[in-house]
Amino acid sequence: LPEYIKFLNFKIKRTSSMKFLGVILDEHLTWDLQINEVCNKLKSMFHVFYSIRNFISKDNIKTIYYTLVYSRIKYGISVYGQAGITQINRIQVLQNKLLKVLAGKKFRYSTDKLHDEFGLLKVVDITNQEILSFVFNYFMDTLPPVFQSYFVTFGAENGINTRNTNNLIRKIRRKTHFGANSIKSKGADLWNSLDTEIKLSFTTKQFRVKYKLSLFPYEIVD
């Protein structure tokens, strides 16, 4: 590739990465740099959590988690969540450790039990919730116009107008890992396997709550 391109009277230099709306894009879309940044932000929380963990209640723990941990993981995850599982697991490990520090749990305390106890989504579940929310908003026609024909339902493709066919997305086969993990492909898989009752939510908030309840059916969801 050339080191720069000319546009009008300007030279635009080639770069291996850039930050756009707070998300770092690298030239191969591996998301390594973005995940490094998320991990560094999470690591900076350890000394704070160790300092306060003896003075907070369970409700405080959830508030602090959502403010300082969840918000950093969630931002842009529908995009950088397309990274390989090894990279995503780096964030998952830090999420687990930070929760254990906040909750005053031992290092070997069960991660699954910890998430169940607080009703908190793991990183993969956060990714899936964001992607599914995008698909839900597509069907609610609340996305920008550029996404107007982003998905194609079986009903629209075959001219059949029924509830089931209009709620199922036609998936296009992808030959690459990147394509298979794209929002268009992964969103179709997740949406088609979702319970119809969740799909028929009236608002995005209700949809997100119902999805989380499907993972924690015995929890009162915040």
Side-chain angles (χ1 to χ4, degrees):
L1 293 176
E3 290 303 312
Y4 66 88
I5 59 174
K6 289 184 177 181
F7 179 73
L8 299 179
N9 294 323
F10 300 95
K11 286 185 177 180
I12 303 175
K13 291 184 178 180
R14 177 174 175 265
T15 180
S16 60
S17 65
M18 66 170 293
K19 180 176 282 191
F20 181 70
L21 297 178
V23 177
I24 301 176
L25 307 171
D26 63 86
E27 60 183 338
H28 300 298
L29 292 180
T30 63
W31 306 107
D32 290 350
L33 297 177
Q34 172 63 20
I35 289 175
N36 286 344
E37 178 153 298
V38 173
C39 288
N40 288 335
K41 288 180 178 179
L42 294 179
K43 289 175 183 177
S44 69
M45 294 292 105
F46 276 104
H47 74 283
V48 176
F49 288 4
Y50 274 116
S51 299
I52 64 176
R53 65 177 181 172
N54 294 325
F55 308 100
I56 54 179
S57 65
K58 183 175 180 179
D59 288 339
N60 295 149
I61 290 173
K62 294 185 74 170
T63 299
I64 293 169
Y65 165 79
Y66 278 114
T67 303
L68 299 177
V69 179
Y70 175 78
S71 62
R72 286 169 167 77
I73 294 174
K74 176 188 171 186
Y75 186 79
I77 199 170
S78 57
V79 178
Y80 81 76
Q82 299 172 34
I85 190 63
T86 301
Q87 289 290 69
I88 296 300
N89 280 341
R90 291 176 57 202
I91 301 176
Q92 184 61 66
V93 169
L94 288 170
Q95 183 199 43
N96 297 340
K97 289 181 177 180
L98 286 167
L99 274 173
K100 288 176 183 179
V101 171
L102 268 181
K105 303 294 186 182
K106 293 182 178 179
F107 177 73
R108 295 188 178 276
Y109 190 82
S110 169
T111 297
D112 290 337
K113 187 176 180 180
L114 181 65
H115 282 269
D116 289 347
E117 182 180 337
F118 287 94
L120 301 175
L121 299 178
K122 293 183 179 179
V123 177
V124 170
D125 295 324
I126 295 172
T127 306
N128 292 344
Q129 187 184 53
E130 292 305 305
I131 292 175
L132 282 168
S133 296
F134 175 87
V135 181
F136 175 79
N137 287 329
Y138 170 82
F139 281 105
M140 295 295 288
D141 198 25
T142 56
L143 294 178
V146 68
F147 294 109
Q148 187 173 5
S149 301
Y150 195 69
F151 297 108
V152 177
T153 64
F154 282 104
E157 184 181 45
N158 299 312
I160 303 172
N161 187 21
T162 67
R163 175 184 293 183
N164 288 335
T165 55
N166 284 331
N167 272 333
L168 293 176
I169 300 172
R170 179 179 176 273
K171 182 182 176 182
I172 300 174
R173 292 185 178 275
R174 305 293 181 179
K175 295 182 180 180
T176 64
H177 169 81
F178 179 78
N181 281 330
S182 66
I183 294 177
K184 196 165 192 175
S185 181
K186 193 170 182 179
D189 282 338
L190 291 169
W191 184 262
N192 290 345
S193 63
L194 196 64
D195 188 276
T196 301
E197 195 274 334
I198 301 176
K199 295 179 182 178
L200 296 178
S201 300
F202 292 103
T203 64
T204 304
K205 181 177 180 180
Q206 184 186 56
F207 174 83
R208 293 172 68 87
V209 168
K210 284 184 177 182
Y211 175 73
K212 188 174 180 182
L213 278 172
S214 72
L215 302 176
F216 299 103
Y218 49 84
E219 289 285 342
I220 298 175
V221 181
D222 298 328

